[in-house]
Amino acid sequence: RKNLLLGVPVYGISSDSILGNTFETDYYNTKESVAKLTDGKKAEKAECGDSAFFHFTRGVGRSVVFKLDGLSAVDEIKIGFLREDSTGIKLPRRCDVLISENGADWQRIVKACNLKCPESPQRFELSQSFGTPYKALYILVEFEVPCHTWIDEIEVFGTEAIPENAISVKAEAIEENPSIMHVNKYPEYDDFLNVRNLLLSYNCVPPEKVGEKGLGLITEEQYIPHLAYIDRDGKMTDTFFDSFLYLPYSVYTYSYLYKCAEGWRYYVDNVFAKDRNLDALDKAAATVGEKLGIENHQVQVFFSILCSKVRYGEFPEKFGDLDGDGTDEDMSTLRDRKKALKWIIDEHLNRYKEKNYKNVTLGGFYWFEEDINYSDEFELDLIAYAREYLHSLGLKFFWIPYFQAWGFQDWKENGFDIACMQPNYAFRKDETVQRLYDNASITKALGMCVELEIGGLKPDDIERYKCYLDAGEETGYMNTIKMYYQGGVPGEFYRAYKSEDPLTRSVYDDTYLFAKEKYVSRKRR
């Protein structure tokens, strides 16, 4: 009896989704020709830098195949994983081992779910032995890759001689993308307050960046062609976006304002600026309702929960007194970070109630950061606190991660009511259109929706945006909750609405058709 895999090369590695060019490197994803998985060397230290670890990053999950030297009898499996929360290296929630005698018919002999070890960092060994050995020539290991999965050794014990009692493979169906916790269904509209088309309405820049055009201070006139569709003859014919998310521009989040109490108050002041932003949206909704003959026309609004641990540089020595109790908040403590989180929610709620808006309805709050910062020891506690507090108020809680961001697969486990993944195709010129179809497949499997993105109005930008629309009609994400990034407001849709160039104007018209589920892919025309 011995380790039958010792020194056996990897027969093949496949991922459940594309990795993206950023992660197709030797560091993030070790080449399958590197013999670390079966060299007999286990990590000396439970840390990412130990040279014994074979690296897997992104791609949702992996299938790793080995071919033994000959048909053998397998009686035990061992796999060594690393858990190191500070670097996002997590244990997979799912790891299966399958065997085959011929490479065509497979049987699952290990099905491990929700792998856990008590602390981080730690090496965790998944081990399973069988009372009766199985006949096997091929070994297939399938596991989830939540962000990074590091494995130092895969061992398969047994004998080359096959005893009489060895069990022959009983073929079973093998599911596609096994590492995804399948929902296999886009969310329904009534899963999220009947929101259908939500526009990211960026607001707030530092005072010196506002300029003559009033960047971050949206007017009623700028909102109207977003709230209503206006045809090429200038006639208002239908409603358009029904929901709006307020969130700060990146120039704000990279500034000193995001890192101090004064700046947080400045941000909330901006959301509720007189005759701008939310004030302007309320007036625009009333105007649209009147012109379209819609009594008590309502649109949904969502606010942002700012991050209490900034990742764009360090906080000043003193954050400042946010809640007026005479004591500076200490953002190194969970207590004060919870206080800050509650303050940003309560401050929005109080201002919203004071305004007594007639045509906007508050739906909930957005977790502003685009990934789960597992290296932050308080991140999950704060998400749970926000979720519980918002739900106690009858409000929704949602998230928009970037493509395969840290924690995207855990969105439901972390308590978000909905999550919407960004494909990021519009901004990654090195990615092919396949990115959109992979994103569609992953989001559907996980019960997420898809963010539409446009990066400009040059012909190439428009072509890439139209690919989002084509993929949405073909795969089905046109018929579910949709969220849209267009830069800021007024943004690209507004510029397209104003344009006399037919190609540019088509961005506005096609977005309206898509929003109303009437768009037809260019492949089908």
Side-chain angles (χ1 to χ4, degrees):
R1 184 177 180 277
K2 63 180 182 179
N3 176 10
L4 298 166
L5 270 191
L6 184 62
V8 173
V10 173
Y11 195 69
I13 298 177
S14 61
S15 63
D16 293 338
S17 176
I18 58 173
L19 306 177
N21 291 331
T22 301
F23 301 107
E24 289 180 345
T25 68
D26 293 349
Y27 175 75
Y28 286 117
N29 286 284
T30 310
K31 291 181 179 179
E32 64 181 54
S33 60
V34 176
K36 288 186 178 183
L37 288 172
T38 59
D39 62 0
K41 297 178 181 178
K42 297 183 181 180
E44 295 180 2
K45 297 181 179 179
E47 58 184 38
C48 66
D50 192 295
S51 61
F53 286 110
F54 195 103
H55 301 177
F56 302 93
T57 298
R58 297 295 200 275
V60 179
R62 293 294 187 283
S63 297
V64 183
V65 183
F66 300 92
K67 184 179 181 181
L68 302 178
D69 292 335
L71 190 66
S72 303
V74 172
D75 60 40
E76 187 178 16
I77 307 286
K78 290 184 179 181
I79 305 172
F81 294 97
L82 173 66
R83 175 188 170 189
E84 189 177 56
D85 294 349
S86 63
T87 52
I89 300 172
K90 300 180 67 183
L91 302 183
R93 288 180 299 183
R94 176 173 176 174
C95 180
D96 293 358
V97 179
L98 300 94
I99 56 172
S100 175
E101 295 180 47
N102 56 16
D105 301 312
W106 296 87
Q107 179 180 350
R108 184 179 286 102
I109 59 172
V110 174
K111 185 177 181 64
C113 296
N114 298 316
L115 304 187
K116 294 179 181 179
C117 58
E119 59 186 37
S120 169
Q122 185 173 333
R123 180 185 183 273
F124 170 83
E125 188 165 87
L126 171 63
S127 178
Q128 190 160 336
S129 57
F130 316 102
T132 306
Y134 290 89
K135 296 179 184 177
L137 178 59
Y138 295 90
I139 308 293
L140 169 59
V141 182
E142 296 178 334
F143 51 92
E144 180 196 42
V145 181
C147 181
H148 305 292
T149 298
W150 267 211
I151 298 177
D152 61 356
E153 197 72 10
I154 301 177
E155 299 171 290
V156 174
F157 293 92
T159 60
E160 292 177 337
I162 301 174
E164 291 184 2
N165 67 337
I167 302 170
S168 296
V169 167
K170 295 179 181 178
E172 60 183 76
I174 306 300
E175 63 180 302
E176 187 179 356
N177 290 350
S179 297
I180 297 176
M181 297 296 187
H182 282 283
V183 175
N184 202 32
K185 180 175 173 291
Y186 291 117
E188 301 288 343
Y189 292 124
D190 59 10
D191 290 339
F192 194 60
L193 302 173
N194 206 35
V195 168
R196 292 173 177 263
N197 297 282
L198 181 148
L199 183 71
L200 275 64
S201 184
Y202 282 87
N203 65 285
C204 194
V205 298
E208 64 273 15
K209 299 289 185 180
V210 173
E212 294 181 1
K213 295 183 179 180
L215 183 63
L217 293 166
I218 308 159
T219 67
E220 178 184 350
E221 185 275 332
Q222 290 168 339
Y223 269 131
I224 285 176
H226 294 94
L227 284 160
Y229 174 68
I230 301 174
D231 67 19
R232 296 193 182 203
D233 296 324
K235 183 179 179 182
M236 186 183 295
T237 63
D238 197 2
T239 57
F240 201 162
F241 291 102
D242 56 73
S243 303
F244 294 79
L245 164 63
Y246 286 90
L247 68 173
Y249 278 93
S250 60
V251 69
Y252 167 85
T253 58
Y254 278 91
S255 76
Y256 71 96
L257 291 167
Y258 196 35
K259 308 166 189 175
C260 63
E262 174 192 357
W264 280 37
R265 285 190 285 270
Y266 172 84
Y267 171 74
V268 180
D269 287 344
N270 183 271
V271 174
F272 296 94
K274 182 176 174 53
D275 296 328
R276 295 290 188 270
N277 297 335
L278 199 55
D279 278 13
L281 181 66
D282 185 55
K283 293 176 182 177
T287 299
V288 168
E290 182 180 348
K291 289 189 176 182
L292 292 177
I294 303 172
E295 187 176 351
N296 190 30
H297 179 48
Q298 296 290 311
V299 295
Q300 300 252 31
V301 295
F302 297 86
F303 300 132
S304 291
I305 298 174
L306 302 184
C307 180
S308 59
K309 182 177 182 179
V310 176
R311 286 176 277 174
Y312 315 105
E314 295 301 317
F315 277 106
E317 184 177 346
K318 291 185 177 181
F319 181 81
D321 179 8
L322 190 58
D323 57 4
D325 65 357
T327 304
D328 288 345
E329 317 308 337
D330 180 357
M331 292 303 189
S332 67
T333 69
L334 178 60
R335 185 198 65 170
D336 281 9
R337 290 178 67 185
K338 283 183 176 179
K339 283 176 62 180
L341 187 154
K342 187 175 185 299
W343 181 90
I344 197 74
I345 293 173
D346 289 345
E347 191 68 12
H348 276 94
L349 291 175
N350 293 336
R351 300 283 193 95
Y352 172 78
K353 291 174 182 175
E354 287 171 4
K355 289 282 189 174
N356 193 29
Y357 292 116
K358 303 300 183 184
N359 296 90
V360 297
T361 302
L362 177 60
F365 282 76
Y366 163 65
W367 186 256
F368 178 67
E369 294 297 334
E370 298 173 43
D371 63 5
I372 302 301
N373 185 7
Y374 288 112
S375 62
D376 179 349
E377 62 179 320
F378 301 136
E379 182 97 341
L380 296 182
D381 290 327
L382 290 166
I383 292 173
Y385 178 77
R387 175 188 69 241
E388 291 167 10
Y389 185 49
L390 291 172
H391 285 176
S392 75
L393 299 171
L395 297 170
K396 294 292 187 181
F397 184 41
F398 76 107
W399 184 43
I400 310 177
Y402 59 79
F403 184 72
Q404 294 189 37
W406 281 14
F408 83 98
Q409 288 159 270
D410 303 333
W411 73 268
K412 198 170 189 66
E413 179 181 312
N414 285 331
F416 295 107
D417 294 301
I418 201 77
C420 184
M421 192 154 74
Q422 311 166 32
N424 303 135
Y425 173 68
F427 321 107
R428 294 298 305 269
K429 305 300 183 182
D430 56 341
E431 295 291 351
T432 70
V433 72
Q434 184 60 35
R435 165 67 72 89
L436 294 173
Y437 294 91
D438 285 320
N439 188 81
S441 176
I442 296 168
T443 51
K444 184 177 182 180
L446 291 170
M448 304 169 77
C449 55
V450 174
E451 181 181 275
L452 285 291
E453 302 161 312
I454 185 167
L457 289 176
K458 294 179 180 179
D460 180 61
D461 296 319
I462 293 173
E463 171 58 28
R464 294 179 85 83
Y465 177 66
K466 295 290 184 75
C467 289
Y468 280 77
L469 305 183
D470 292 341
E473 192 269 336
E474 293 164 24
T475 63
Y477 64 76
M478 180 178 75
N479 306 105
T480 185
I481 301 161
K482 300 171 285 293
M483 302 185 185
Y484 301 76
Y485 170 88
Q486 61 151 348
V489 177
E492 310 302 0
F493 298 151
Y494 181 85
R495 290 172 55 202
Y497 150 72
K498 287 281 194 180
S499 178
E500 295 183 2
D501 174 68
L503 177 63
T504 305
R505 169 69 198 205
S506 72
V507 168
Y508 181 76
D509 297 328
D510 284 350
T511 301
Y512 162 73
L513 291 173
F514 190 86
K516 297 297 180 177
E517 301 181 10
K518 297 177 181 178
Y519 181 84
V520 177
S521 168
R522 291 172 294 176
K523 298 176 185 177
R524 302 183 194 271
R525 296 176 193 173

